[in-house]
Amino acid sequence: MRQSSSKEEKLQILLIPLLSPVPLGTMEHNKDAVWRANGCLQSVCIACLMDTRRGLPDIESHRDLHIWIIENLQMVPVPEPAYGNFFEKHCYVVLHVPQSLKATPGVPKDLHYWVGKMAAPGAQGAPGSFLQHLKEALGGATVQHREVQGHESACFRSYFRSGIIYRKGGLASALKHVETNVYNIQRLLRIRGGKHVSATEVELSWHSFNNSDVFLLDLGRMMIQWNGPKASAARKARGLFLTHSLRDRERGGRAQVSVVDDEAEATDLMEIMEAVLGRRVGSLHAAMPSKRMNQLQKANVHLYQVCQKSKDLVVQELSTCPLTQDLLQEENCYILDQGGFKIYVWQGRRASLQERGAAFRRALNFIQAKGYPSYTSVEVMDDGAESAGFKQLFRSWSGQQRKNKNLSGMGKLLQVKLDVGKLHSQPELAAQLRMVDDASGSVQIWCIQDSHRQPVDPKRHGQLCADSCYLVLYTYRRMGLVQHVLYLWQGLQATAHEISALRGNAEELDLWYRGALVQEHVTMGSEPPHFLAIFQGQLVIFQGHPRHSRKGQPAPAVSLFHIQGTDSYNTRTMEVPARASALNSSDVFLLVTANLCYLWFGKGCSGDQREMARTVVTIICREDMEIVLEGQEPPNFWEALGGRAPYRSNKRPPEDVCDFQPRLFECSCQAGPLVLTEVVFFSQEDLDKYDVMLLDAWQEIFLWLGAAASEWKQEAVAWGQEYLKTHPAGRSLATPIVLVKQGHEPPTFIGWFCTWDPYKWSNTQSYEEVVAGDPGAVSTISEITAEIVNFRLSRWPGNDRAGPLALRALKSSEDISESELELGPRAGTGSRSTVSSASSSSYQSSPQSLGSGGLPREQLRHQAAEDLPEGVDPAHKEAYLSDSDFQDIFGKSKEEFYSMAKWRQQQEKQQLGFF
């Protein structure tokens, strides 16, 4: 779809008749572009799917997550121990009902339709009507999601903290998702991802390995985690967390876990791996980089209105970022395109039922028209049930609930009277108020001069200059411990050199305090409440003159100061240009001349503003003072300002209270630009020592550095600035950025978490300690090798009736494997000899071990039992085909075939002449 070529061409219209498709190219030369999309989706038997009231869970139960697998067009509950396991040939429904202590009434449920990459084509288009019926059955506010394997949303992945496991093939209803305490298994899992880990079942071969990922060789009684030479410490630790989770859920915690960090030091484990995989020939290849969208791409948002006109569906572009909430009208439906990363569909409360039911179909048609990948994430929501991610795409968002809470601004500070005990015992209050305490602690201030810090006389604390930078160190006690906050205050007229020196001196102080400083970057005019409270309403910002300014310029003949605030906790005074246009009827101003000071009260200012202004005057003005009311100014007042001029006289609008929820992101930039991965429903458990995490509390940005992530300390603040710069809501670049280190979290940070354990960091084992604590490879090589051989025999199709041919083949491969283990060189020696390929796959081992590579298809296909070659099991004739013949006839590998449901295997064998 072409973009508008000028500012005048603001709207773009797509007419979408629900008929046969027309190539996208026909749209290129028309402003009113037309395309036709096939509206016919595979029908889903809603009657079968929706035995609604019986199939749905009791959402008031203790569990907040419920999962069903779609089997034979019915929802079959998945047992809780199998949560996180997904078969690639199936579709799933996942329902999340928030049970958090901080969940407020009206928080929507999340309903996901997950599509495996090998699922039937009809499943791709099924979620629309399917989820709509489920939503109606559930009742209440519900956000609907469409997820595709390998490209799930952050919301979906956040449910499975230990990771997602993609399992090959399908699952028959009679089989279990996860069989606990079963040890006759051989599989290889590739573990990838950052904060959201996933494990994919791959071919049991050295060809599946690379030098950057983590791999898990699951042998039932033993689980070997092999770490790539270039795998990061974080990836190794997360891989081990998933491995232990698998062991506990599927083996009852009784499997033996061992780790290969260095092949040269783990020779016993490498011998076991070679017994299964054969000898590795050649070097490991590099991992294929995963495609991840950077922040700049996600900032490219477009809002479209969707409406039906006769037989045509009209999609009209309304606006690009920054978006405003008033663009959304309750009688309409809208599509919001976040740079192709995600497609949102918003449905007004007065939109028709027909429009609501078509939401997913329209989103999929939109994805097709834009040429986006078919796995593009889709999220459908109703008016009043918007997700946090959707709201933050708008410049501001006001919700009815928030309007009734009256939590805005400093009003609440007066209500709680800044009880320091409450702020410390209730960190959630400290976070909302942005106050670590009542500002009664000790203060030290330095001004940056000639790249060095110079102490500021305590008598002049609170008198700052716009062309300078300052370090303000605040020290307080919390729960008996000394805590520090270092404010890095940056004047708007400070040079780049001074800003750089400010950060350098902050690092020196941090080293002096052994890394215990919480560093908050503050820009002039955007000071946080606690910073203002430190100066008890006496903060005055001069435009580079007098007092302790190093520049030494003489004071100007006339100065004008803008005084804003109602109490000692929120008052700030800033020098502004001395002209009449700078006045504002809602505030108080101080005009300083050579002989007299005028304290000007605007008609809209309150009594509290006037009282605070009188206390500030004594800091600035040593001359006589005259109070002037708006409209009663003497001629000398206007003459000092250079004459009358229009100024803002309208009543100040009420403070805009945004209904935004805090959001947590993992930061990563190892493969180029900054990439943020959201962690939804976050908790303290999501903070690992290897992480750099960004917590967006909207009014300020926190960068949390784990103990092992100190190398990213310099980049962290730049990442926060880039996040603000690329945010689609057009965020202010002056938003305070707070750098927090593990173990030194202030109450304003921990208050955004549901619970917080101050001793967690001292009680958590490191990756090295966890590895050292595992029992290691206590089994002998011969014991494990014997188990591998027994596994092959047990997995051979129809082993109870295996003829001499099959047994001969198994015996042959067994002899080869054992002889090579005893006589052959160890891994890494460059030897060309390999263990028989019989060990590479549980289903391919026996046919491949035949000298001929399998029996001719003519001797097996459409043959009666008495006509088969000696030793062939009539019930498993297909197993004696060579791999190439099997792939040619069945259109899939043996491994894929035997992972199918039993009835599907029999059906295909009957159709192809092997039954």
Side-chain angles (χ1 to χ4, degrees):
M1 185 176 65
R2 71 181 176 87
Q3 300 297 316
S4 301
S5 58
S6 66
K7 291 184 178 179
E8 290 74 18
E9 192 179 35
K10 294 181 180 178
L11 302 180
Q12 192 169 40
I13 300 176
L14 296 177
L15 299 179
I16 312 176
L18 302 179
L19 300 172
S20 58
V22 168
L24 192 61
T26 61
M27 301 165 54
E28 292 299 326
H29 304 291
N30 298 320
K31 179 181 177 182
D32 298 336
V34 179
W35 66 279
R36 301 173 186 270
N38 188 349
C40 301
L41 297 171
Q42 294 273 345
S43 61
V44 176
C45 182
I46 299 299
C48 294
L49 287 169
M50 297 305 303
D51 192 359
T52 50
R53 304 302 176 188
R54 290 184 308 188
L56 293 176
D58 174 14
I59 61 174
E60 300 300 328
S61 66
H62 69 282
R63 287 196 292 119
D64 58 358
L65 195 64
H66 307 269
I67 304 178
W68 299 265
I69 185 172
I70 305 302
E71 180 69 20
N72 296 329
L73 297 182
Q74 293 195 16
M75 293 170 57
V76 180
V78 174
E80 194 168 355
Y83 282 9
N85 287 266
F86 293 90
F87 286 90
E88 60 184 18
K89 287 193 176 182
H90 283 281
C91 296
Y92 290 76
V93 172
V94 177
L95 171 65
H96 179 256
V97 184
Q99 301 288 340
S100 168
L101 295 176
K102 285 192 174 182
T104 55
V107 172
K109 299 178 282 289
D110 288 283
L111 189 59
H112 304 259
Y113 185 88
W114 185 91
V115 181
K117 68 177 182 181
M118 301 297 291
Q124 301 286 336
S129 55
F130 187 86
L131 291 187
Q132 184 63 26
H133 280 76
L134 269 175
K135 176 190 168 188
E136 293 171 2
L138 286 167
T142 305
V143 178
Q144 305 167 62
H145 308 256
R146 174 181 175 267
E147 314 283 357
V148 178
Q149 179 180 341
H151 303 277
E152 295 87 354
S153 65
C155 178
F156 185 88
R157 288 177 172 269
S158 295
Y159 303 143
F160 310 100
R161 196 173 167 275
S162 60
I164 294 175
I165 301 172
Y166 302 122
R167 302 185 63 176
K168 287 188 175 182
L171 176 75
S173 298
L175 299 180
K176 296 181 179 179
H177 286 76
V178 174
E179 294 185 300
T180 56
N181 302 325
V182 173
Y183 297 94
N184 58 333
I185 187 173
Q186 280 188 18
R187 62 175 174 173
L188 180 65
L189 298 174
R190 183 189 67 216
I191 302 174
R192 305 189 76 177
K195 183 57 67 177
H196 301 310
V197 178
S198 64
T200 306
E201 195 170 340
V202 295
E203 180 188 358
L204 200 63
S205 166
W206 281 114
H207 297 297
S208 301
F209 286 70
N210 61 62
N211 59 11
S212 301
D213 287 330
V214 172
F215 291 82
L216 174 62
L217 180 60
D218 185 359
L219 302 176
R221 195 159 62 91
M222 169 172 273
M223 306 175 84
I224 302 176
Q225 176 174 318
W226 182 94
N227 297 326
K230 294 186 178 180
S232 65
R235 183 167 292 185
K236 294 176 184 179
R238 288 164 184 163
L240 192 59
F241 183 68
L242 186 145
T243 298
H244 282 163
S245 175
L246 275 175
R247 176 199 62 187
D248 297 340
R249 288 188 297 169
E250 298 189 13
R251 311 290 147 72
R254 288 185 287 273
Q256 179 179 306
V257 174
S258 300
V259 177
V260 177
D261 261 326
D262 185 340
E263 293 183 356
E265 296 181 0
T267 54
D268 289 350
L269 294 175
M270 288 306 299
E271 286 193 26
I272 295 172
M273 293 183 71
E274 289 174 358
V276 179
L277 304 170
R279 301 301 175 102
R280 189 173 71 228
V281 179
S283 57
L284 293 164
H285 62 83
M288 290 291 293
S290 56
K291 294 181 180 179
R292 303 173 71 184
M293 189 167 288
N294 62 40
Q295 291 307 107
L296 193 58
Q297 291 172 290
K298 292 181 182 180
N300 184 24
V301 298
H302 296 264
L303 182 66
Y304 300 83
Q305 181 180 335
V306 183
C307 59
Q308 191 81 34
K309 289 189 178 180
S310 184
K311 294 182 179 180
D312 292 334
L313 184 67
V314 180
V315 180
Q316 174 179 314
E317 183 172 354
L318 292 183
S319 180
T320 59
C321 61
L323 303 176
T324 55
Q325 187 181 358
D326 58 6
L327 290 169
L328 304 177
Q329 302 298 314
E330 62 181 13
E331 63 272 7
N332 295 324
C333 291
Y334 300 86
I335 290 177
L336 195 155
D337 177 5
Q338 190 182 4
F341 165 71
K342 178 177 280 191
I343 302 298
Y344 295 91
V345 181
W346 185 89
Q347 303 174 130
R349 65 187 66 210
R350 293 172 57 189
S352 67
L353 291 176
Q354 181 182 4
E355 289 181 322
R356 291 169 183 267
F360 268 101
R361 184 181 64 197
R362 291 172 177 176
L364 296 179
N365 287 342
F366 182 85
I367 289 171
Q368 179 186 3
K370 296 285 283 185
Y372 293 151
S374 60
Y375 54 74
T376 301
S377 185
V378 176
E379 190 171 306
V380 178
M381 67 203 69
D382 292 333
D383 184 358
E386 298 84 2
S387 62
F390 179 82
K391 292 177 183 178
Q392 282 205 11
L393 297 176
F394 292 78
R395 181 181 288 277
S396 63
W397 191 277
S398 299
Q400 292 298 325
Q401 298 171 1
R402 188 63 178 252
K403 291 176 183 177
N404 297 331
K405 287 184 180 178
N406 192 28
L407 293 177
S408 61
M410 289 290 104
K412 188 166 182 178
L413 286 178
L414 295 177
Q415 295 174 18
V416 300
K417 297 182 181 179
L418 282 179
D419 185 330
V420 67
K422 281 188 176 181
L423 291 175
H424 289 174
S425 63
Q426 301 176 29
E428 63 275 11
L429 185 62
Q432 291 175 7
L433 301 180
R434 302 168 66 193
M435 298 284 291
V436 297
D437 72 346
D438 59 357
S440 60
S442 62
V443 182
Q444 291 176 271
I445 301 179
W446 297 268
C447 178
I448 303 302
Q449 296 182 4
D450 299 324
S451 299
H452 300 286
R453 57 182 183 274
Q454 299 295 330
V456 175
D457 186 342
K459 295 180 181 179
R460 293 176 176 173
H461 280 185
Q463 300 178 25
L464 309 182
C465 295
D467 59 354
S468 299
C469 292
Y470 295 83
L471 290 171
V472 179
L473 178 62
Y474 179 79
T475 303
Y476 65 106
R477 299 186 72 88
R478 178 174 181 267
M479 305 302 182
L481 299 176
V482 176
Q483 307 282 332
H484 307 279
V485 178
L486 180 65
Y487 292 99
L488 288 75
W489 189 90
Q490 174 184 323
L492 291 179
Q493 299 173 21
T495 64
H497 176 74
E498 288 172 319
I499 296 172
S500 177
L502 173 72
R503 295 175 180 174
N505 280 272
E507 287 304 306
E508 289 181 11
L509 275 178
D510 191 45
L511 289 173
W512 179 263
Y513 282 89
R514 299 182 179 180
L517 301 184
V518 173
Q519 299 180 35
E520 182 158 0
H521 294 253
V522 177
T523 302
M524 170 181 158
S526 299
E527 293 83 5
H530 187 261
F531 185 89
L532 297 176
I534 289 174
F535 301 104
Q536 298 294 300
Q538 307 297 303
L539 176 64
V540 180
I541 303 172
F542 298 90
Q543 293 293 329
H545 70 88
R547 311 292 191 265
H548 58 285
S549 173
R550 63 181 174 85
K551 304 276 193 292
Q553 305 104 325
V558 178
S559 300
L560 183 64
F561 295 87
H562 185 189
I563 305 173
Q564 294 176 287
T566 57
D567 56 50
S568 59
Y569 302 114
N570 67 0
T571 298
R572 172 197 301 112
T573 301
M574 294 180 61
E575 185 176 359
V576 295
R579 51 176 179 262
S581 59
L583 299 175
N584 188 319
S585 296
S586 298
D587 291 322
V588 178
F589 288 80
L590 177 66
L591 178 62
V592 180
T593 65
N595 302 316
L596 186 64
C597 292
Y598 298 94
L599 187 59
W600 184 84
F601 293 145
K603 292 180 179 180
C605 69
S606 67
D608 290 336
Q609 287 177 282
R610 299 183 185 194
E611 287 301 316
M612 282 306 304
R614 289 186 174 94
T615 65
V616 175
V617 167
T618 58
I619 302 173
I620 304 171
C621 183
R622 303 296 182 188
E623 295 78 15
D624 293 335
M625 185 189 71
E626 178 181 331
I627 294 178
V628 177
L629 302 180
E630 183 179 6
Q632 302 178 21
E633 299 87 352
N636 290 342
F637 178 87
W638 295 115
E639 182 180 344
L641 292 176
R644 292 176 179 268
Y647 57 85
R648 188 183 295 257
S649 57
N650 296 332
K651 186 176 180 181
R652 187 190 305 278
E655 182 182 352
D656 187 21
V657 180
C658 295
D659 187 23
F660 291 123
Q661 301 170 18
R663 301 173 71 193
L664 184 69
F665 301 86
E666 177 192 29
C667 301
S668 173
C669 72
Q670 296 188 11
L674 174 66
V675 175
L676 298 182
T677 304
E678 186 172 7
V679 181
V680 189
F681 317 112
F682 60 84
S683 68
Q684 186 184 4
E685 293 297 319
D686 294 305
L687 304 178
D688 296 331
K689 74 172 188 176
Y690 305 100
D691 292 335
V692 178
M693 307 296 290
L694 186 150
L695 178 64
D696 183 359
W698 194 256
Q699 291 182 305
E700 54 194 351
I701 303 295
F702 292 93
L703 271 302
W704 184 89
L705 270 70
S710 57
E711 61 182 297
W712 300 107
K713 185 176 180 181
Q714 299 299 325
E715 290 84 353
V717 174
W719 291 348
Q721 293 169 341
E722 183 178 348
Y723 174 78
L724 291 170
K725 190 180 301 182
T726 58
H727 199 284
R731 303 279 287 278
S732 169
L733 299 183
T735 302
I737 296 176
V738 188
L739 190 64
V740 178
K741 292 181 281 297
Q742 179 180 338
H744 300 284
E745 296 82 3
T748 50
F749 176 81
I750 66 178
W752 296 115
F753 293 77
C754 290
T755 58
W756 190 269
D757 178 8
Y759 305 105
K760 178 182 185 299
W761 312 128
S762 57
N763 297 332
T764 302
Q765 286 186 310
S766 66
Y767 164 75
E768 294 77 14
E769 290 171 336
V770 173
V771 172
D774 276 323
V778 297
S779 302
T780 64
I781 302 292
S782 58
E783 287 176 342
I784 298 297
T785 305
E787 289 184 6
I788 293 168
V789 172
N790 291 334
F791 172 81
R792 296 179 197 152
L793 288 168
S794 67
R795 296 289 283 187
W796 172 247
N799 65 323
D800 55 332
R801 294 186 294 166
L805 183 63
L807 294 177
R808 250 196 338 266
L810 283 171
K811 177 63 178 170
S812 173
S813 65
E814 184 179 322
D815 292 341
I816 294 173
S817 299
E818 290 178 352
S819 65
E820 287 188 350
L821 282 173
E822 292 172 2
L823 302 175
R826 299 189 186 277
T829 61
S831 170
R832 292 181 178 273
S833 70
T834 62
V835 175
S836 169
S837 59
S839 63
S840 65
S841 170
S842 61
Y843 287 107
Q844 296 175 11
S845 57
S846 296
Q848 283 190 348
S849 66
L850 298 172
S852 62
L855 295 175
R857 63 177 73 185
E858 296 80 10
Q859 296 182 21
L860 301 169
R861 197 172 189 180
H862 302 296
Q863 298 295 324
E866 59 271 15
D867 298 328
L868 291 171
E870 181 185 0
V872 172
D873 181 1
H876 297 282
K877 293 185 290 184
E878 77 288 346
Y880 298 84
L881 290 167
S882 66
D883 287 350
S884 58
D885 281 348
F886 193 99
Q887 182 74 40
D888 183 46
I889 296 171
F890 286 84
K892 57 179 67 69
S893 68
K894 292 180 181 179
E895 188 176 30
E896 293 173 324
F897 177 80
Y898 288 116
S899 65
M900 293 167 49
K902 211 65 169 169
W903 65 270
R904 290 183 178 171
Q905 294 181 29
Q906 300 291 358
Q907 187 180 57
E908 289 198 17
K909 286 162 61 175
Q910 189 171 17
Q911 292 173 351
L912 297 172
F914 288 90
F915 187 71

